[in-house]
């Protein structure tokens, strides 16, 4: 099962390396990672997506809490949350297929950010499942390049 873990940390150099080192040393693979400043300049938020059963995730959270620069660890799987990602998808789009690509882009709310004689690059922000579905529907058009940001997540009130 995938877990989305937020790690509030002090905004100092080397913190990311210590957190990543913790995962690496224990053989836990990070599916995605996003790091950004928060409303406080001296605090950053890491959003980490990791796979594992409840026992493994509990161990990860305990190990993270032991790191000196970590302020708070939250598993967003335990609470309702808003989660977002951004994807850039470049597809081969011959002129005859372009109307189909445009229609799918419009349905999903994707924006065309680049276009050439042979390709169309689309930007799609949204919930991870929406992006997964969009990518699956784009596969028949031959995805030439694909990149996704790390997931960000915020608990609902």
């Amino acid at each position: 099962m995938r877990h989305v873990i937020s790690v509030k940390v002090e905004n100092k150099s080397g913190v990311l390396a210590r957190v990543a080192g913790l995962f690496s040393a224990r053989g836990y693979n990070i599916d995605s990672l996003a790091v950004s400043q928060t409303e406080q300049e001296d605090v950053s938020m890491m959003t980490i997506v990791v796979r594992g059963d409840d026992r493994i995730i509990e161990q990860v959270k305990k190990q993270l809490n032991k790191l000196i620069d970590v302020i708070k660890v939250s598993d967003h799987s335990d609470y309702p949350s808003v989660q977002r990602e951004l994807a850039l998808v470049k597809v081969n789009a011959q002129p005859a297929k372009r109307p189909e690509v445009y229609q799918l882009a419009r349905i999903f709310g994707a924006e065309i950010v680049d276009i050439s004689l042979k390709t169309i690059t689309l930007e799609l922000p949204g919930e991870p499942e929406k992006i997964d579905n969009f990518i699956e529907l784009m596969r028949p058009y031959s995805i030439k390049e694909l990149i996704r940001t790390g997931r960000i997540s915020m608990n609902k009130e």
Side-chain angles (χ1 to χ4, degrees):
M1 178 178 173
R2 276 191 180 161
H3 288 261
V4 179
I5 299 172
S6 287
V7 185
K8 190 178 274 190
V9 297
E10 294 181 28
N11 187 5
K12 295 194 286 190
S13 65
V15 174
L16 176 60
R18 284 188 281 283
V19 170
L22 181 149
F23 281 82
S24 175
R26 284 152 185 85
Y28 303 140
N29 188 40
I30 295 173
D31 281 354
S32 85
L33 170 68
V35 183
S36 67
Q37 277 192 318
T38 64
E39 68 283 359
Q40 299 170 286
E41 273 188 38
D42 58 341
V43 175
S44 292
M45 182 67 76
M46 295 181 180
T47 307
I48 303 167
V49 179
V50 62
R51 293 174 201 245
D53 59 29
D54 290 343
R55 184 186 59 79
I56 289 173
I57 299 304
E58 193 59 36
Q59 187 176 10
V60 166
K61 291 188 315 188
K62 285 180 182 175
Q63 295 295 320
L64 286 168
N65 275 313
K66 289 181 182 177
L67 295 176
I68 193 162
D69 301 313
V70 171
I71 299 167
K72 183 179 180 184
V73 178
S74 303
D75 185 350
H76 290 231
S77 306
D78 299 337
Y79 306 100
S81 60
V82 176
Q83 299 184 9
R84 294 291 184 269
E85 288 184 10
L86 173 74
L88 292 174
V89 183
K90 184 185 292 182
V91 295
N92 288 316
Q94 299 301 320
K97 294 291 183 183
R98 288 182 181 221
E100 296 173 27
V101 173
Y102 295 153
Q103 186 175 14
L104 285 170
R106 189 174 45 249
I107 290 169
F108 279 84
E111 184 177 336
I112 296 170
V113 293
D114 190 43
I115 191 162
S116 71
L117 292 174
K118 296 180 180 176
T119 64
I120 298 174
T121 303
L122 303 143
E123 172 188 89
L124 179 62
E127 296 176 357
E129 295 77 18
K130 174 184 169 183
I131 293 173
D132 290 342
N133 292 335
F134 181 71
I135 290 169
E136 283 308 309
L137 291 172
M138 285 290 114
R139 288 198 191 284
Y141 299 98
S142 181
I143 295 175
K144 189 170 183 172
E145 199 172 338
L146 167 68
I147 190 163
R148 294 172 78 151
T149 63
R151 190 177 306 189
I152 56 172
S153 180
M154 184 177 284
N155 282 335
K156 292 183 177 180
E157 290 290 324

